[in-house]
Amino acid sequence: MSDVSKIEKRVAAKFPPGYRAWQESGYCTYSRKNYLWVFEAEWIPLKEIPGYDLWRVTIPGLIPFAFNGAGDHWCFSTACPTANDECEIWFCWHDEEKGLRFAPSFAGWFYRQCLEFASGGMDEDERSIKKARRNLRLWSQRLAEIHSGDWADHLHQLADVEPFYYKHPKLRTNVPMFGFITAMDVDSLVSKQFGKRYLKSEVDWGTFPSRF
């Protein structure tokens, strides 16, 4: 039995196929040379997932797999299956029992995170731009390993775009954003590819799974 299968048995749930594949390839293990850096997401070590402290409690069926710099968590919401052994990915804030529906699949979560980075997650100097292009090309390769659609091609195409300044109409600051794609275009893609429910659809993860 593989390490991934052992953890699945302990949490009484199957992980999405793409996540399983990446775990087995070592992309989610920090000590491995091929560790995959993801924008605003640090992988939770596989062995720490069972019983992981999600805001002082363990929620049955809600499985955290990564966290951001603020301590908020990315979770598999296994009571909300979608298709082909996939489930919704939720973004759960660390300081309240609220969160967002973020994507309908693991590959979709990764694709959206890459788009979020491309829309403003890099600095404006030439060194940062070159690094961002390398990231997008690598992410394109990794995404192609677990998703057969055109998302990987899109990331590769974005790596060749000349980054530009733009203003987001909903932001109060006058400081322009800088990226390969606008945040508005990202929202449009999310709505088209995933559905409108994944744009600002709030959930009460503290009551999960009783209300879903």
Side-chain angles (χ1 to χ4, degrees), residues 118-119 164 166 179-187:
S119 70
F164 54 90
Y166 69 94
F180 299 99
I181 187 174
T182 71
M184 298 81 80
D185 285 336
V186 172
D187 285 350

Side-chain angles (χ1 to χ4, degrees), residues 21-37:
W22 280 8
Q23 279 286 358
E24 291 169 354
S25 295
Y27 300 159
C28 308
T29 304
Y30 187 73
S31 60
R32 298 282 290 272
K33 292 183 178 180
N34 59 349
Y35 178 81
L36 183 63
W37 178 81

Side-chain angles (χ1 to χ4, degrees), residues 28 30 35-45 65-69 74 109:
C28 308
Y30 187 73
Y35 178 81
L36 183 63
W37 178 81
V38 181
F39 179 59
E40 290 294 339
E42 183 173 336
W43 305 106
I44 295 172
F65 64 90
F67 59 91
N68 66 10
W74 301 104
W109 166 79

Side-chain angles (χ1 to χ4, degrees), residues 101 167 189:
R101 281 189 171 90
K167 289 188 177 181
L189 282 167

